[in-house]
Amino acid sequence: MSRISTHVLDIARGVPARDVPVQLERREASGNWQLLMEGRTDPDGRCGEMLPENATLAAGLYRLTFDTAKYFTAQKIEGLYPTVQITFAVRDGETHFHIPLLLAQNGYTTYRGS
């Protein structure tokens, strides 16, 4: 089963970042990005599945885009980064990616989770 998931944690406030708009795109051979799925983080800050139903995770470049401006506005915080884009490479045979985002008002970090 192919899967791409994410988890956003507001490390400045020490809570999951709920209701963050997230998009998953795949880069086409032409260089253009194709939108695969849109979602929002749940109350636990998670999007459990970003691939469309029955989609296979093909090798290539993928990009998660987080609309952090909407999240920060809802928290009445002025953030430095209005969007965060994480581009990652999927190689042949890989089937699962969990890409967490650790978010703060003036910075962020990410890693490949399990």
Side-chain angles (χ1 to χ4, degrees):
M1 177 175 154
S2 294
R3 180 177 164 147
I4 295 176
S5 58
T6 190
H7 189 192
V8 184
L9 297 171
D10 184 331
I11 59 172
R13 295 177 55 228
V15 297
R18 67 182 306 166
D19 207 31
V20 178
V22 184
Q23 292 182 330
L24 175 67
E25 299 168 287
R26 183 173 191 280
R27 190 166 155 192
E28 299 175 328
S30 67
N32 295 325
W33 291 93
Q34 176 191 12
L35 179 64
L36 299 177
M37 179 78 85
E38 293 181 297
R40 288 182 174 270
T41 56
D42 66 15
D44 194 34
R46 297 179 183 274
C47 286
E49 180 56 78
M50 291 299 298
L51 277 178
E53 192 173 333
N54 299 321
T56 301
L57 189 58
L61 291 181
Y62 290 78
R63 177 169 72 187
L64 285 168
T65 301
F66 301 85
D67 187 343
T68 54
K70 285 190 179 178
Y71 172 74
F72 286 131
T73 297
Q75 306 307 312
K76 298 181 171 61
I77 297 171
E78 189 174 327
L80 179 62
Y81 301 101
T83 61
V84 172
Q85 291 188 324
I86 302 169
T87 303
F88 56 100
V90 172
R91 293 165 191 85
D92 284 328
E94 293 181 309
T95 60
H96 178 252
F97 279 80
H98 181 65
I99 310 291
L101 174 63
L102 306 178
L103 184 61
Q105 179 179 4
N106 292 306
Y108 64 89
T109 191
T110 186
Y111 59 96
R112 182 175 182 179
S114 57

